[in-house]
Amino acid sequence: MEDVIYLDHASTTPTDPEVLEAMLPWFTEGFGNPSTVYSLGLSSARAIARARETVAQIISAEPEEIYFTSGGTESDNWALVGAVDAQSKKGKHIITSSIEHHAVLETAEYLEKHGHEVTKVSVDGGGLVDPEDVRRAIRPDTVLVSIMHANNEVGTIEPIAEIGKITREAGVLFHTDAVQTAGKIPLDVNELGVDMLSMSAHKFYGPKGAGLMYLRKKTRVSPLFHGGGQERGRRAGTHNVPGIVGLAKALELTVGRMADDAARETELRDRLWVGLESSIEAVYLNGHPTPRLANNLNVRLDGIEGESMILMLDMEGICVSSGSACTTGSLEPSHVLLALGIPKENAHGSLRLTLGRSTTIEHVEHFLRVFPPIVNRLREMSPIWCANCACKQRN
Ligand code: PLP
């Protein structure tokens, strides 16, 4: 694995060794169930309480507003299903955007099948939601607005604080999926004006299978999981103590180095983009150039399939993604790129490069040496490149 150049940090990140070290005792000597009342269990409960305080402080919340979950998917499902269930008397309408992660979109579709109404606000060519579109979509029977903080494919950062003002004025609950922003940009739940917020530890150098939901006090949301009384009766299931400890440690460490990491990643990402633009014909940036995550570069290349690029880069020991990792395996064009108005064939020819702590300038320069010949080889074999581009240029 040592020689791998990993450019897929939006998909997942390696667990920080310091995080792993903090987690390990909670698998072995500290194995007690935190719901028990003897000392062994109480020490696990105290570890969870400390983790809750750490996380709460980082996002300007109260510890009682933090609920540990199994990750982003569970938190997103809980936000939508829980909010509509608790407010069934008020109405059945929810608002989301066309570029949400599948964890939100599929849940919205599930709710639609069960009699709810969903409005998906569209985005502009850069992937930005217009807050005024959200305002216009709100109705007396709207029970929830769910708009992601930053998109996982193109990295566009949404105007969450502006939308938060609108939902507050309208008295409608507001959820944001902050899975891609936690540890990358500052998060303050009060400045953002959100009632619910999802996070997932494996996106910020923590363990997989650990996440959280911020739930503002007095927010009317039903539990998704029923069973024991864990998490103040709102999220049943024995606590994942090592995962919770790891999540808090990972967030603390990531936030501590956030500004430096963002500056370094921006520089590397910009070098990558300039290098690609200068060495490859017909390459375009997907997403917004400015309100964008520092580590994200999503490009489209005329005349090639994303999957072939991924496979050829993999043979060179380089890991990249052609869209959301959760849809890899399906050759459907990315719903996000289509929502940005990118034609189907160009969406297919898109590549997502997401940088992280392990990325060095040597990685970037190596990629810039290896990638253009791959593009040339694939274009030579491509009937679409020939038909749409090269032949036309020759004429
Ligand atoms: N939301 C976003 C924006 C994501 O990028 C992801 C994962 O890719 C998820 C939700 C799902 O999170 P998890 O993998 O923790 O279930």
Side-chain angles (χ1 to χ4, degrees):
M1 295 298 283
E2 271 167 25
D3 292 337
V4 163
I5 294 182
Y6 185 73
L7 294 174
D8 201 18
H9 290 82
S11 168
T12 194
T13 54
T15 303
D16 183 325
E18 224 181 302
V19 170
L20 179 63
E21 202 185 313
M23 292 171 68
L24 284 176
W26 303 102
F27 284 104
T28 49
E29 66 264 34
F31 69 91
N33 188 326
S35 301
T36 56
V37 293
Y38 42 80
S39 314
L40 187 68
L42 287 177
S43 106
S44 300
R46 278 195 293 273
I48 294 178
R50 282 193 297 274
R52 208 184 298 282
E53 273 172 28
T54 302
V55 169
Q57 208 218 337
I58 291 173
I59 63 169
S60 305
E62 299 294 325
E64 312 80 76
E65 295 176 314
I66 304 297
Y67 294 82
F68 292 112
T69 67
S70 63
T73 301
E74 182 191 327
S75 300
D76 287 349
N77 271 259
W78 184 14
L80 270 70
V81 176
V84 302
D85 186 72
Q87 299 177 89
S88 54
K89 287 206 182 83
K90 182 183 175 194
K92 284 178 171 292
H93 179 234
I94 67 175
I95 299 168
T96 186
S97 84
S98 52
I99 60 161
E100 298 296 311
H101 188 269
H102 289 286
V104 167
L105 285 182
E106 297 278 325
T107 308
E109 270 168 40
Y110 164 84
L111 291 172
E112 241 174 348
K113 280 190 204 126
H114 289 81
H116 294 87
E117 262 190 86
V118 178
T119 300
K120 283 186 211 159
V121 293
S122 54
V123 291
D124 70 10
L128 272 179
V129 169
D130 180 349
E132 288 309 311
D133 283 347
V134 175
R135 190 196 296 280
R136 277 188 288 272
I138 293 177
R139 317 189 311 208
D141 62 341
T142 305
V143 291
L144 177 73
V145 171
S146 178
I147 305 286
M148 71 198 319
H149 196 190
N151 182 265
N152 47 302
E153 295 192 36
V154 292
T156 304
I157 302 169
E158 301 298 341
I160 295 303
E162 281 177 60
I163 299 171
K165 284 197 192 98
I166 294 170
T167 53
R168 193 149 290 178
E169 270 167 39
V172 175
L173 285 191
F174 184 28
H175 165 249
T176 193
D177 174 340
V179 167
Q180 291 292 339
T181 49
K184 295 204 189 74
I185 55 176
L187 285 184
D188 178 320
V189 290
N190 300 315
E191 276 174 19
L192 292 174
V194 294
D195 302 296
M196 289 179 272
L197 178 145
S198 311
M199 263 194 218
S200 178
H202 74 99
K203 306 288 188 182
F204 49 83
Y205 304 89
K208 294 173 182 55
L212 69 81
M213 168 88 124
Y214 157 76
L215 203 48
R216 191 177 288 280
K217 263 185 213 152
K218 300 194 183 138
T219 301
R220 292 179 54 215
V221 174
S222 306
L224 184 67
F225 288 5
H226 304 272
Q230 291 91 351
E231 296 295 271
R232 295 169 300 286
R234 297 182 91 173
R235 197 279 184 178
T238 301
H239 288 98
N240 170 6
V241 185
I244 291 168
V245 169
L247 179 151
K249 185 75 184 170
L251 191 63
E252 195 179 23
L253 292 172
T254 310
V255 166
R257 51 184 294 170
M258 186 160 65
D260 290 345
D261 280 354
R264 208 179 62 85
E265 286 165 13
T266 305
E267 207 174 297
L268 293 174
R269 180 199 67 186
D270 291 349
R271 165 70 195 125
L272 196 51
W273 173 232
V274 168
L276 289 177
E277 250 195 324
S278 60
S279 58
I280 299 173
E281 195 186 332
V283 56
Y284 313 96
L285 180 73
N286 287 332
H288 207 287
T290 42
R292 180 165 48 127
L293 292 175
N295 73 330
N296 180 296
L297 182 64
N298 192 314
V299 294
R300 61 182 190 279
L301 296 106
D302 283 348
I304 330 185
E305 286 279 334
E307 298 299 310
S308 346
M309 292 189 268
I310 289 181
L311 295 177
M312 291 184 76
L313 285 167
D314 187 35
M315 287 194 272
E316 300 286 341
I318 300 173
C319 308
V320 299
S321 179
S322 67
S324 165
C326 307
T327 50
T328 303
S330 128
L331 282 181
E332 285 301 302
S334 139
H335 68 281
V336 174
L337 300 179
L338 295 183
L340 264 61
I342 294 168
K344 224 173 169 178
E345 50 292 359
N346 292 119
H348 270 308
S350 291
L351 212 56
R352 181 185 70 178
L353 309 168
T354 45
L355 283 49
R357 284 183 201 166
S358 68
T359 316
T360 61
I361 185 67
E362 287 75 26
H363 289 177
V364 169
E365 297 302 345
H366 182 72
F367 183 87
L368 290 172
R369 273 193 302 278
V370 165
F371 189 53
I374 290 180
V375 172
N376 290 341
R377 237 176 303 153
L378 289 172
R379 278 182 173 162
E380 274 163 23
M381 295 187 283
S382 162
I384 15 172
W385 174 250
C386 179
N388 291 340
C389 313
C391 294
K392 267 193 204 152
Q393 280 159 20
R394 264 185 241 124
N395 286 341

